[in-house]
Amino acid sequence: MTVLLTGDWTQFGKDDYFRRFEVYTMGWPTEINLDTLSLTSSNFGGPLAVVRDRNKVIKIQGVGKPVISIYSSSGSFISSIIWNSGKIVKLGWSSLCDLLCILEDGHVHIYDMFSNFQHRVSMGQEAQDTKVLDAKIFSTASGTGVAVLTTTHRIFLVNSVREAKVRRLPEVPGVHNAPTAWTVVCEDRHCRVLFARERDLYSLNEAETHPQPLVSKLGDEVCTIVEMAVSSNYERLAIFTDRGKLWIGTSDVKKCTRLYDTRSVGLPLQLVWCGVDAVVINWGLHLELVGPIEESLHYNYDENVFCVQEVDCIRVVSSQSMDIIQKVPEVVRNIFGINSTAAGSYLLEASKQYQKKNHRANEYLHLVKPKLFLAVRQCIEAAGHEFKAETQKMLMKAAQFGKTYLDDCSPENYVTMIRVLRCLNAVRHPNVGMPITYNQLQILTLQGLMELQMIRRNHFLALDLATFLKMPDSSKIRLHWACYKVEHSKLNDEFVAKEIAEKIGSSRDVSYIKIAKKAADCGRNDLAIKLIEYEPRANLQVPLLLRLGEDQTALIKAIESGNTDLVYAVLLHMKENMPLGKFQMEIRNFPLAQALYLKYCRLHNKDMLKDVYIQEDDHKSQAECHIRESFDPKNSGTREASLVAAEENYKRAKLDLNAMLCEEHLRLSRYQRNLEDKFKRDFFGKSLHDTLKLLLTMQEVKLADKLRHEYKVPDRRYWWLRVKVLGELSAWSELEKLSKSKKSPIGYEPFVEVCWKHGNRYEAQKYLPKVKDDVKIEYLTKLGMYDEAAQMAFEQKDLEGLKYVESKCDPSFAEKVASLIRQLSK
């Protein structure tokens, strides 16, 4: 069994091995011929794009337009593009499986793997004017970058096609000489270009104004660099010259680890890295692997092949099959290596003998028992690096066998690897066609793998794998599936909405609004409206309903939510987007919305408020609006007109009393205008009370009396006002005349009050005899006449009155009052 497992191993140096194994028999058409086609593929087992190589003359049929065909790694047809958008300089793939078509005019057309156009990126006006000669596609920390070489031998670069910011790199001396080779090196978030012109090598950096020459010993004094390749981690560089020499070293060209002579004068079809373990020279019918320090080996093929550089291996694509060539992982080499003494090797043998029911299983187990924990770990790890399910099972059974003899061995690693292997086997299946290795999965992560499955539209596989792997968030997969369903399904809207709701359910992790927005973007408004119904949150429903023109539905949802801010948002949107009359008729059917709109108008726009009342024939409310306007200081010039309008509206509303009050206020306003003209004082806008007070203050008693009779001011109110004004004017003689003119309708207490308030006790005493007996004690006390107050209270036997005097009088007099209280208490 071990011989079979190591049969595809080839020794590489003293202890290392490389292995080549077939993953797929290609399922694409038999007419696919890599001799006449140009092929490109994305990383992590991505799809293949095939197009006719225009540099080769072949016989074609039909109109002759190029057709870009896209296949999975197993050769299953995915889609195709009939190209008619200009000359393609370079095809390549982004990290999200988008096909990048770099054109001669400096534009990058981006398609998804199903041939749907996504967007277009420009490499700048200068690149467009001077035309693109060559291009490179590379991976960066921020996505996928593109660099183009123009016919003027200038290089323009973007770090990410998602956020294209074109950078112009320094110009290399010798404009008329084209580069013989160039490549891109990325370090963190910084990219630079290695630019070779014959034997000279330069580093081009956007942060520097001039190219930096690099010194390298290429083995010959006279030679030309014809090909360069950078490893996936951008740490190592391979340079191939026209003399057949291969220089291998660090990407900064400061250190050379090997100078290898291929003894070939031809140019290779490709120069790629196999991880960081070897440089692969593709000569067409055979591959030459050259180690960075020593050793080399050859793999022969019956036809031309194409190599895809991966982070830990290469994929070799031919017309018939797809192979993987990789360095044998150390843990696999230790277990399956001939005469291996590794703990995992002994445990595997013990497991095999145990299954055969052979007593030798106990002997192997004793050999490995001191390192049993290590042996279990090695078997689990080695299983991850294997592609064949039988080998995986054999290694996992060995690990399970060893675990039974360990008391404190956690099953977590074992269970996790079982799940990961099932996941890997599922995506490696020819129907999916993603031959990803365990090392690549470690870099990509399970989340990244799920995202790639979504991009490939393997939603149910992704969902099953996410559930099986117990990934916490599978809502993203459901959302992506629903958006795809909305965009591509030709079924009835009702059926599509129902199917999406059945699959997603009431999960709060998936927003129906995002799906509905996708439907709206695709022009399926009816479907979007149906999907909105499944969204329970009104604050998410309403904005999209407004966007779709469903204003009334949005208003109903906002009202049902009880959120007044949401209702206001709908009302303002409706008002801005429909005629005013129609808007007002619409909200009449919703009392709450109309009430909120009226409140808004009352605070922010009085004219709109009147428009609503006019629309509703609400004369009473119209009159109230006019009255508010008349009292606004800003509208002093139109106050009388507002009052006239208010009077007319009250009459229409059959509110005669209100109309009469408006008429009286109008007459008062006119009278105030006359007073202003006569006295040059500010009367306008004052109330009747303030107008009377101002006239009395001006000692225009006759005019005040006339105004008082005209508006039927009550006697009590008028006498109170006159007494108050005379007190303020200190017109004591006039006050006395008023008290004697006729019997006071308000009594004489106000006379005492006003005199006392303005500090004239003498005048106040004049009115004390006319004060009512029941309050005379209080006023005597207030005027400081404590003796008279106490005597009166004593005579009237008013115990409460004596106590009141005692509380108000001076301490010197308090004893006398206390004596009177004691006498009354006996």
Side-chain angles (χ1 to χ4, degrees):
M1 179 68 178
T2 303
V3 175
L4 294 176
L5 290 172
T6 60
D8 55 5
W9 291 16
T10 305
Q11 191 164 3
F12 193 75
K14 183 179 179 181
D15 298 317
D16 292 329
Y17 293 86
F18 269 79
R19 62 180 177 181
R20 176 180 65 174
F21 54 93
E22 182 178 313
V23 181
Y24 301 122
T25 298
M26 300 302 286
W28 54 21
T30 55
E31 61 267 19
I32 293 289
N33 184 356
L34 298 187
D35 294 338
T36 60
L37 297 175
S38 174
L39 186 147
T40 183
S41 177
S42 63
N43 294 333
F44 298 108
L48 305 167
V50 178
V51 66
R52 178 170 61 85
D53 190 343
R54 290 203 168 197
N55 295 322
K56 298 176 181 178
V57 179
I58 60 172
K59 182 180 179 180
I60 61 172
Q61 296 177 349
V63 295
K65 288 185 178 180
V67 177
I68 303 173
S69 300
I70 301 174
Y71 298 89
S72 70
S73 291
S74 60
S76 298
F77 178 76
I78 297 175
S79 65
S80 64
I81 306 169
I82 298 177
W83 189 259
N84 55 7
S85 299
K87 183 179 178 181
I88 298 175
V89 174
K90 187 82 171 181
L91 282 180
W93 293 89
S94 75
S95 56
L96 296 177
C97 289
D98 287 331
L99 181 64
L100 309 182
C101 305
I102 305 171
L103 307 186
E104 188 181 41
D105 64 2
H107 288 101
V108 181
H109 289 219
I110 301 176
Y111 295 80
D112 67 13
M113 61 187 293
F114 299 96
S115 302
N116 298 310
F117 179 76
Q118 302 296 302
H119 61 102
R120 186 176 73 166
V121 174
S122 173
M123 296 302 294
Q125 188 61 44
E126 187 174 344
Q128 184 175 348
D129 294 339
T130 57
K131 304 302 180 184
V132 173
L133 191 64
D134 193 12
K136 302 290 183 183
I137 298 170
F138 54 93
S139 297
T140 68
S142 55
T144 302
V146 172
V148 297
L149 172 70
T150 66
T151 54
T152 57
H153 311 141
R154 298 301 303 268
I155 292 178
F156 299 88
L157 178 145
V158 295
N159 283 336
S160 174
V161 292
R162 293 276 175 184
E163 300 174 359
K165 182 179 179 182
V166 181
R167 295 168 171 84
R168 179 177 175 176
L169 299 186
E171 185 176 8
V172 178
V175 176
H176 301 293
N177 296 325
T180 54
W182 64 290
T183 191
V184 182
V185 177
C186 293
E187 297 160 346
D188 297 326
R189 295 184 177 274
H190 170 74
C191 295
R192 59 189 175 91
V193 169
L194 296 179
F195 187 100
R197 182 177 283 154
E198 296 182 349
R199 195 184 188 284
D200 299 325
L201 185 62
Y202 301 89
S203 174
L204 309 184
N205 190 329
E206 63 168 319
E208 299 169 349
T209 56
H210 300 286
Q212 301 299 316
L214 301 175
V215 179
S216 59
K217 296 181 180 180
L218 302 176
D220 296 287
E221 292 297 327
V222 179
C223 65
T224 298
I225 298 173
V226 295
E227 194 68 57
M228 288 190 288
V230 184
S231 62
S232 297
N233 60 5
Y234 295 107
E235 293 180 359
R236 298 195 176 191
L237 174 68
I239 301 174
F240 193 85
T241 71
D242 61 345
R243 299 301 178 93
K245 299 290 180 63
L246 179 66
W247 181 96
I248 303 175
T250 57
S251 59
D252 57 7
V253 201
K254 293 181 178 178
K255 181 181 178 182
C256 174
T257 58
R258 187 176 187 184
L259 189 62
Y260 175 74
D261 189 356
T262 63
R263 303 183 185 280
S264 174
V265 294
L267 298 180
L269 299 180
Q270 283 179 283
L271 186 69
V272 297
W273 279 86
C274 184
V276 293
D277 306 302
V279 178
V280 179
I281 307 172
N282 180 3
W283 297 106
L285 294 176
H286 77 278
L287 305 179
E288 188 171 0
L289 271 71
V290 181
I293 299 176
E294 58 182 11
E295 296 301 327
S296 64
L297 58 89
H298 295 260
Y299 288 107
N300 295 317
Y301 288 87
D302 297 331
E303 56 184 341
N304 284 343
V305 295
F306 176 82
C307 298
V308 181
Q309 178 173 312
E310 295 282 6
V311 294
D312 64 332
C313 64
I314 60 167
R315 285 187 286 143
V316 184
V317 182
S318 69
S319 300
Q320 304 300 322
S321 65
M322 195 218 76
D323 300 344
I324 284 182
I325 297 176
Q326 68 172 173
K327 183 181 178 180
V328 177
E330 182 180 358
V331 65
V332 176
R333 187 187 69 215
N334 289 340
I335 290 178
F336 294 119
I338 299 173
N339 299 324
S340 172
T341 59
S345 180
Y346 285 135
L347 178 60
L348 177 63
E349 194 60 35
S351 174
K352 289 179 182 178
Q353 297 301 327
Y354 176 77
Q355 291 173 45
K356 294 177 181 178
K357 299 183 179 180
N358 192 319
H359 69 279
R360 294 186 64 189
N362 193 46
E363 297 175 9
Y364 283 110
L365 196 60
H366 277 290
L367 289 174
V368 76
K369 200 157 190 179
K371 297 182 179 179
L372 188 56
F373 185 83
L374 174 62
V376 170
R377 191 177 67 189
Q378 285 180 337
C379 288
I380 293 173
E381 185 180 350
H385 293 289
E386 292 298 320
F387 266 66
K388 292 181 179 179
E390 295 80 3
T391 310
Q392 295 169 359
K393 290 178 182 178
M394 179 178 66
L395 289 165
M396 295 307 290
K397 283 182 178 179
Q400 185 182 31
F401 176 70
K403 275 192 326 94
T404 58
Y405 295 95
L406 292 171
D407 296 331
D408 57 347
C409 183
S410 171
E412 183 178 355
N413 290 340
Y414 177 84
V415 173
T416 301
M417 182 56 75
I418 288 287
R419 290 174 176 161
V420 168
L421 286 173
R422 290 186 178 180
C423 177
L424 287 172
N425 291 339
V427 299
R428 288 169 180 167
H429 191 277
N431 291 343
V432 180
M434 190 175 178
I436 188 173
T437 65
Y438 182 68
N439 288 333
Q440 291 170 24
L441 180 63
Q442 299 297 98
I443 297 170
L444 184 62
T445 72
L446 290 170
Q447 186 66 41
L449 181 62
M450 295 303 107
E451 290 181 5
L452 288 180
Q453 295 309 311
M454 288 189 290
I455 291 170
R456 290 165 173 255
R457 299 179 183 173
N458 297 325
H459 298 102
F460 290 105
L461 172 62
L463 194 58
D464 287 345
L465 292 178
T467 304
F468 180 71
L469 293 169
K470 299 185 182 297
M471 295 177 68
D473 182 19
S474 61
S475 60
K476 191 174 180 181
I477 302 171
R478 291 187 175 91
L479 177 61
H480 194 279
W481 167 80
C483 291
Y484 164 73
K485 190 77 175 177
V486 161
E487 186 175 4
H488 294 91
S489 177
K490 304 300 181 184
L491 299 174
N492 177 270
D493 291 341
E494 183 74 34
F495 182 83
V496 173
K498 186 176 180 181
E499 184 180 3
I500 290 173
E502 287 175 354
K503 292 292 189 298
I504 293 177
S506 58
S507 172
R508 291 184 62 87
D509 296 331
V510 181
S511 172
Y512 282 96
I513 293 301
K514 291 182 179 178
I515 307 169
K517 283 181 179 177
K518 184 66 176 179
D521 292 339
C522 296
R524 304 185 69 174
N525 291 355
D526 292 340
L527 176 57
I529 293 168
K530 294 181 185 299
L531 289 168
I532 289 171
E533 290 297 323
Y534 293 104
E535 174 57 54
R537 290 162 287 187
N539 63 315
L540 298 179
Q541 288 179 316
V542 168
L544 187 54
L545 285 169
L546 293 177
R547 173 185 160 187
L548 295 171
E550 295 293 320
D551 297 345
Q552 193 174 83
T553 308
L555 185 57
I556 293 171
K557 295 291 183 184
I559 293 171
E560 290 175 350
S561 73
N563 187 335
T564 55
D565 290 338
L566 209 54
V567 179
Y568 275 127
V570 178
L571 291 174
L572 293 176
H573 174 86
M574 293 173 67
K575 181 180 174 299
E576 291 173 1
N577 292 278
M578 64 173 60
L580 183 60
K582 182 181 179 183
F583 165 69
Q584 291 173 351
M585 291 299 293
E586 286 282 342
I587 65 172
R588 287 183 67 186
N589 302 319
F590 306 98
L592 175 62
Q594 189 174 38
L596 290 172
Y597 177 68
L598 293 176
K599 180 181 178 182
Y600 172 82
C601 294
R602 217 171 276 124
L603 295 173
H604 300 286
N605 195 323
K606 304 292 192 303
D607 292 334
M608 289 197 306
L609 183 64
K610 283 194 292 185
D611 287 341
V612 175
Y613 291 145
I614 292 170
Q615 178 83 18
E616 297 292 327
D617 287 334
D618 189 346
H619 299 296
K620 177 177 177 292
S621 298
Q622 291 178 53
E624 290 171 354
C625 284
H626 289 301
I627 289 174
R628 290 191 193 96
E629 287 179 358
S630 70
F631 283 101
D632 191 341
K634 298 177 183 178
N635 302 326
S636 59
T638 59
R639 177 169 297 176
E640 293 180 12
S642 297
L643 288 171
V644 171
E647 181 184 358
E648 291 175 353
N649 279 289
Y650 275 131
K651 287 179 180 178
R652 293 192 188 100
K654 297 181 180 181
L655 297 171
D656 296 333
L657 177 61
N658 292 17
M660 184 185 69
L661 291 173
C662 288
E663 182 184 358
E664 289 181 354
H665 194 78
L666 185 60
R667 283 191 286 112
L668 176 62
S669 297
R670 291 169 181 166
Y671 187 73
Q672 289 171 338
R673 293 283 189 192
N674 295 331
L675 291 175
E676 283 190 349
D677 295 339
K678 182 176 181 180
F679 296 108
K680 309 301 180 186
R681 297 283 297 271
D682 186 13
F683 281 90
F684 190 75
K686 294 184 181 298
S687 65
L688 175 62
H689 178 87
D690 291 340
T691 304
L692 286 172
K693 183 177 179 182
L694 184 54
L695 287 172
L696 291 172
T697 303
M698 296 169 60
Q699 298 182 358
E700 295 291 338
V701 179
K702 289 183 179 180
L703 289 175
D705 283 340
K706 181 181 176 183
L707 188 62
R708 167 240 179 146
H709 286 298
E710 185 175 350
Y711 284 93
K712 299 177 182 179
V713 177
D715 286 346
R716 287 178 59 81
R717 180 178 172 187
Y718 184 64
W719 271 67
W720 262 109
L721 185 57
R722 285 204 65 185
V723 169
K724 183 178 179 182
V725 170
L726 290 172
E728 291 174 354
L729 296 174
S730 299
W732 308 120
S733 59
E734 293 296 327
L735 185 63
E736 188 175 357
K737 286 180 184 179
L738 178 64
S739 68
K740 294 177 180 179
S741 63
K742 65 177 183 178
K743 185 178 180 181
S744 171
I746 58 173
Y748 293 93
E749 290 82 4
F751 290 81
V752 178
E753 285 278 359
V754 76
C755 293
W756 172 75
K757 181 180 178 181
H758 292 283
N760 196 334
R761 294 176 60 190
Y762 174 74
E763 288 293 331
Q765 291 176 12
K766 292 180 180 181
Y767 306 105
L768 278 176
K770 296 181 180 182
V771 172
K772 295 176 183 178
D773 291 341
D774 57 347
V775 293
K776 190 171 287 187
I777 294 172
E778 178 185 347
Y779 280 96
L780 285 169
T781 305
K782 191 175 285 189
L783 294 174
M785 302 170 70
Y786 304 123
D787 192 14
E788 291 84 348
Q791 192 62 38
M792 179 178 287
F794 184 75
E795 291 174 357
Q796 295 176 358
K797 297 183 180 181
D798 186 356
L799 188 60
E800 293 298 324
L802 283 171
K803 290 180 180 179
Y804 176 76
V805 175
E806 183 183 28
S807 65
K808 300 293 183 180
C809 70
D810 298 332
S812 59
F813 190 73
E815 183 58 37
K816 181 178 178 181
V817 177
S819 174
L820 294 173
I821 292 172
R822 285 194 295 272
Q823 291 180 40
L824 279 180
S825 302
K826 289 182 180 180

